[in-house]
Structures are given as structure tokens and as C-alpha cells.
Amino acid sequence: GAVVSQHPSWVICKSGTSVKIECRSLDFQATTMFWYRQFPKQSLMLMATSNEGSKATYEQGVEKDKFLINHASLTLSTLTVTSAHPEDSSFYICSAASVPSRSLYEQYFGPGTRLTVT
Amino acid sequence: AQKITQTQPGMFVQEKEAVTLDCTYDTSDPSYGLFWYKQPSSGEMIFLIYQGSYDQQNATEGRYSLNFQKARKSANLVISASQLGDSAMYFCAMREVTNFGNEKLTFGTGTRLTIIP
């Protein structure tokens, strides 16, 4: 199956700093990428959907200026948590689809990034 | 608005027994898809099985099968002959189309399955 990687797998940062998380599709072109957030023992919540070359579509309640998403190429999307605070500590998971946000049957998940803000 | 409900927060099952994980959904769209994912303690989401709303037969993938009862709006996952490696969190999810024309997944709250040796 298709492989999606995330880097870093875990990161600890100080409050007020920014953190960038990368999501890469290694063996296919991802026209659509999704970013999820998962709090401990809870479900995945979609934060935003990004199509290559266009602005991300954020879910209601997600701050665009705080969670900057860039999908500049067909194999790379980045999520930048700006001015991170302890409440941003969470598990962030990306996924990638190889068709223009059509068949989520072909959505592949990355291994996730655990962010801890101190 | 769509909704996915998983009513079993946790289950304990003896190894080699079959287990059914419940999932009910609510949607007014005639076309939808239902997914089951497994999330081990390592965190990665592993796709297990998919059922489309127009599929005539219940989906099966190896030891996994989906008991799809459209009239009752349920899509239960059945794992046959459970193994220790099946211990994980299991999420049911439904595909929906957003106002922007994109598709996205809405996840249930999950069921933590523990297989007892």
C-alpha cells in the first residue's frame, strides 16, 4: 500500500514558539491532504483539508492563523503550529488521498506526530 | 449533520473468539461510505474495511467483515478468531461531502478492544 510519512514523530517545544510538522506521500502523488488532531483517549477531529496548490479549508472552530497549512507540492504538506501553548499539546495525524478529494477509500494515514508544549 | 456512534468504550474478549464492534450512523445523504480503522498503541491508523451505501453485499477482508444493516443504520465490525495482535482502538468513520464539495471522514469515539490470552 501507499506510504505516508510524518516528521518529526514527536516534538517538545516551549510555550510561545512555533513548530512545523511535515507530511509526505512517499510513493504516490497526493492531490488532497488532511490534518487531524487527536487528544488522549479521544477520537480524531479533522482540522483542515488541503488541495495541492490552493488554500486549505479549515473546519469550524479551527484557527487559521494558529494552524498554518501549506500544500505546495503533490508530495508534501506542512502544518505549522504558531505561538504554541500547552493546550495545543496533542497527537497530530495527516492523511493523503491520491485523487482530488474523491475516493477516501484511498486515503492513507501518516504515523502521527506527538506534540508536547511545556 | 452526520453522526457516528460507537457505544462500547471498551471490550475484553478471549483469544480465538469472535468479536463484534458496534457502530451506528445518522445521515440523510443517499450516497455514503463507512470505514473501520484500527489504531494500535503506536498511533498509526490502519484501514481495515470499507462499505459503500450502494454495495449489495457486506464487505469482507480476511478475518474482518462488516455487518451492514442499512435500514437500521448500523455498520458493525466483526472480527473472527481474534488474536492478541487485535488489541487496539477501533474507529468507525463515515464519508461525507462538505459544503465546499470536498469529502471528509467523520470518526466515532472508538472502542478499545483487549484480547485476553
Side-chain angles (χ1 to χ4, degrees):
Chain A
V3 179
V4 175
S5 70
Q6 278 186 244
H7 178 80
S9 55
W10 60 269
V11 58
I12 302 173
C13 71
K14 291 187 176 180
S15 185
T17 61
S18 295
V19 174
K20 180 183 283 188
I21 302 170
E22 292 186 349
C23 175
R24 293 181 184 272
S25 57
L26 298 185
D27 50 2
F28 68 101
Q29 294 186 327
T31 50
T32 302
M33 285 187 168
F34 305 87
W35 286 95
Y36 296 87
R37 182 175 183 176
Q38 185 180 28
F39 290 107
K41 301 186 187 230
Q42 294 189 23
S43 186
L44 278 74
M45 300 297 295
L46 180 67
M47 299 174 66
T49 302
S50 71
N51 293 307
E52 186 267 338
S54 61
K55 290 184 178 180
T57 303
Y58 289 81
E59 294 298 299
Q60 192 172 8
V62 178
E63 299 175 60
K64 302 178 184 181
D65 295 333
K66 181 167 188 59
F67 298 100
L68 301 178
I69 291 172
N70 184 281
H71 190 170
S73 78
L74 286 170
T75 59
L76 174 64
S77 177
T78 59
L79 167 67
T80 301
V81 183
T82 62
S83 186
H85 291 287
E87 57 265 29
D88 299 324
S89 298
S90 188
F91 192 55
Y92 292 87
I93 305 175
C94 74
S95 70
S98 60
V99 291
S101 69
R102 289 250 177 88
S103 173
L104 293 186
Y105 181 72
E106 296 180 348
Q107 178 180 197
Y108 302 99
F109 284 84
T113 296
R114 190 164 303 282
L115 169 64
T116 301
V117 184
T118 60
Chain B
Q2 296 190 342
K3 185 179 177 182
I4 294 284
T5 303
Q6 294 180 253
T7 57
Q8 306 153 309
M11 288 189 69
F12 290 84
V13 173
Q14 202 73 38
E15 188 180 8
K16 300 183 183 177
E17 290 186 350
V19 56
T20 298
L21 305 181
D22 296 340
C23 173
T24 58
Y25 59 92
D26 184 24
T27 180
S28 55
D29 294 332
S31 176
Y32 53 90
L34 296 155
F35 298 75
W36 275 94
Y37 287 90
K38 172 184 178 180
Q39 187 180 40
S41 56
S42 54
E44 78 269 27
M45 297 292 287
I46 302 169
F47 166 76
L48 295 177
I49 199 166
Y50 170 80
Q51 179 85 43
S53 59
Y54 294 119
D55 292 343
Q56 295 297 316
Q57 294 187 328
N58 288 344
T60 60
E61 291 283 352
R63 293 188 299 114
Y64 304 107
S65 60
L66 203 151
N67 185 1
F68 183 47
Q69 299 187 43
K70 199 169 181 177
R72 297 180 60 184
K73 293 189 175 181
S74 74
N76 299 338
L77 175 70
V78 180
I79 306 174
S80 63
S82 58
Q83 303 170 356
L84 295 179
D86 294 332
S87 294
M89 197 74 174
Y90 289 80
F91 290 99
C92 179
M94 181 162 61
R95 181 192 72 219
E96 66 171 315
V97 178
T98 71
N99 292 333
F100 300 97
N102 292 327
E103 287 197 344
K104 69 174 188 179
L105 288 181
T106 299
F107 286 84
T109 51
T111 296
R112 180 163 298 282
L113 175 64
T114 302
I115 306 301
I116 305 167

